[in-house]
Amino acid sequence: MEFIPYARQTVDEDDIKAVVEVLRGVYLTTGPKIAEFEIELAKVCRQKHAVAVSNGTAALHAACYAAGIGECDEVIVSPMTFAASANCVLYCGGTPVFADILPDTYNIDPQDVRAKITPKTKAIIAVHFTGQPCDMYELRTIADEHRLVLIGDAAHALGAEFRGVPVAGLADMSTYSFHPVKHIAMGEGGAVVTDKDAFAEKLRLFRSHGITRDEIRLGTVHAHEPWWYEQLELGYNYRLTDIQAALGYSQLQKLDSFLKRRREIASFYDEAFGSLDGVKIPSQMPGCNSAWHLYVLQIDFQKFKTNRTDFFSRMRDRQIGLQVHYIPVYWHPYYQALGYKKGLCPIAEGIYENIVSLPMYPALSQDDLSRVVEAIKEILG
Ligand SMILES: *Cc1c(COP(=O)(O)O)cnc(C)c1O
């Protein structure tokens, strides 16, 4: 019996060909493939600019930098996310402030966002958990009222829509990850998309040491010196390679079919577990078209006279991988040492106890899906 992981990439021969072509060419990094990928991604997200960077964490760091986050600034973020969504605030010297999540969608609760705003609040990072868009109209309203930058962590949400608009639509900047478990794979990769020229310019500087070769910015003094460039700000080397961008471009061509398959799988699981007592399928807000990065099931383990550890190991015996998304970020020892206390976001903490992420990726076959469903029903039965 083959092992079914909770997530994996789908890479075909044409993806491999695209990468090999780059390896035979002139540029391995920052060549024509970067721009090709950026133009394509911006189109998919219906945003003016896409700035490709080395991974999703770098994208979040760059977005916080472009938003001007610094010491004494507070940024409101969900605890139901990967640590990177909050770490990026710390990188900039700011303070992450956790707002609790909604009990149905597990996305950040706009009302709790309001409650957590102080004179120091500078931005909101809205994580579109599992691929379901946050309530962006409400968050946009709050951000505008308090002059906050609204950043979308869309690592789960490439292709997701809110009332027919790509999820990046109402954010000032949105970040993506192209880690192999996400919608398209690059090995490592990430990007920030934005409609705003000023943010895009900051992001481009930040990804390459803060250095510019732009003739307009450099002026005429050194115009006769072809080697001249200037470092204007303190940036990093967060560049993506052409090798990765070629893979990403090729993968992007398949996004629609990947999304279609993910949505089919979600419907299949919904059908299988929707009427099972003691199990809660993910609820979807009206108007949301999720990208289904994850399928998160809530299971009342007590009711089934078992616990999550036992459930995991019995699934493992059946060669099926699961995961839990996520341990509340501020539970990690690093955050505890910073002074964050358990109990801060009771809804997120309560939900954490009962969630499991089921296998979800386009290459799952109908046989695989049946195996997963039967295994779960057998264990809980
Ligand atoms: C994957 C992920 C990231 C980080 O992306 P990397 O490419 O792994 O650095 C950030 N936020 C969320 C919500 C993620 O799922």
Side-chain angles (χ1 to χ4, degrees):
M1 228 180 348
E2 222 176 299
F3 181 74
I4 302 173
Y6 90 87
R8 64 159 297 172
Q9 72 276 16
T10 306
V11 171
D12 297 332
E13 276 310 312
D14 58 326
D15 297 314
I16 294 168
K17 242 169 88 181
V19 170
V20 170
E21 212 173 281
V22 174
L23 290 174
R24 292 191 204 285
V26 178
Y27 295 99
L28 293 189
T29 194
T30 322
K33 295 295 169 192
I34 300 291
E36 278 174 33
F37 174 74
E38 288 179 337
I39 289 166
E40 197 71 6
L41 180 68
K43 223 187 282 170
V44 167
C45 300
R46 266 189 256 155
Q47 294 282 291
K48 190 168 168 196
H49 305 277
V51 179
V53 293
S54 45
N55 55 66
T57 306
L60 282 161
H61 187 186
C64 283
Y65 176 82
I69 306 304
E71 261 171 61
C72 303
D73 293 331
E74 294 177 357
V75 177
I76 299 175
V77 61
S78 165
M80 186 56 92
T81 185
F82 184 55
S85 316
N87 290 346
C88 55
V89 179
L90 296 175
Y91 295 157
C92 294
T95 303
V97 172
F98 295 98
D100 212 342
I101 59 173
L102 294 161
D104 47 356
T105 64
Y106 318 147
N107 271 331
I108 201 162
D109 178 356
Q111 234 173 311
D112 204 36
V113 169
R114 273 187 196 282
K116 298 282 162 72
I117 289 173
T118 74
K120 292 179 178 174
T121 309
K122 193 119 185 208
I124 302 167
I125 299 177
V127 182
H128 309 296
F129 180 69
T130 72
Q132 173 164 219
C134 293
D135 187 343
M136 293 305 279
Y137 280 88
E138 193 55 32
L139 292 175
R140 185 72 259 172
T141 303
I142 297 170
D144 289 345
E145 274 173 25
H146 297 270
R147 297 170 170 273
L148 310 177
V149 179
L150 181 55
I151 298 168
D153 179 345
H156 296 186
L158 181 62
E161 291 172 336
F162 190 70
R163 299 189 202 168
V165 177
V167 72
L170 287 173
D172 293 303
M173 289 178 270
S174 295
T175 66
Y176 292 88
S177 162
F178 309 118
H179 181 280
V181 300
K182 307 287 166 66
H183 291 82
I184 61 165
M186 278 191 187
E188 298 282 354
V192 188
V193 303
T194 181
D195 262 343
K196 304 212 163 80
D197 299 344
F199 285 142
E201 192 179 341
K202 280 268 180 208
L203 294 165
R204 293 212 165 88
L205 274 178
F206 189 72
R207 90 169 144 190
S208 198
H209 310 279
I211 285 173
T212 186
R213 293 171 191 277
D214 181 356
E215 286 166 23
I216 296 164
R217 296 214 52 179
L218 292 177
T220 52
V221 179
H222 295 280
H224 62 290
E225 297 166 337
W227 61 86
W228 194 258
Y229 58 81
E230 286 176 7
Q231 184 193 335
L232 306 176
E233 301 179 19
L234 186 62
Y236 289 74
N237 178 354
Y238 277 163
R239 292 187 304 265
L240 190 74
T241 66
D242 259 38
I243 306 166
Q244 293 162 311
L247 179 55
Y249 183 91
S250 176
Q251 289 260 298
L252 257 188
Q253 310 308 313
K254 300 167 199 180
L255 179 63
D256 285 344
S257 69
F258 287 170
L259 288 167
K260 182 167 169 281
R261 183 62 186 148
R262 285 177 179 275
R263 285 167 183 152
E264 280 170 11
I265 293 168
S267 303
F268 185 83
Y269 283 147
D270 279 351
E271 186 80 20
F273 302 115
S275 51
L276 195 60
D277 238 16
V279 170
K280 186 175 180 296
I281 61 170
S283 35
Q284 297 295 295
M285 243 183 10
C288 278
N289 193 7
S290 176
W292 289 108
H293 164 54
L294 299 172
Y295 189 91
V296 172
L297 214 52
Q298 254 194 84
I299 301 174
D300 183 352
F301 291 102
Q302 259 181 334
K303 180 187 150 61
F304 294 106
K305 299 195 169 49
T306 179
N307 59 57
R308 189 161 52 180
T309 312
D310 185 55
F311 182 73
F312 259 62
S313 88
R314 289 168 75 182
M315 288 294 279
R316 188 92 199 175
D317 291 344
R318 289 163 174 79
Q319 296 294 312
I320 298 167
L322 302 169
Q323 189 47 274
V324 172
H325 299 91
Y326 289 94
I327 302 164
V329 170
Y330 59 83
W331 279 16
H332 289 296
Y334 186 83
Y335 279 84
Q336 290 286 296
L338 288 176
Y340 292 89
K341 296 274 181 287
K342 289 197 179 178
L344 198 57
C345 297
I347 295 173
E349 293 185 19
I351 285 165
Y352 160 74
E353 298 295 341
N354 292 324
I355 46 175
V356 291
S357 301
L358 306 190
M360 170 58 94
Y361 51 91
L364 274 173
S365 69
Q366 254 353 87
D367 279 352
D368 295 334
L369 286 176
S370 302
R371 241 176 80 197
V372 173
V373 168
E374 277 161 30
I376 293 173
K377 288 192 167 169
E378 198 185 300
I379 295 167
L380 298 181

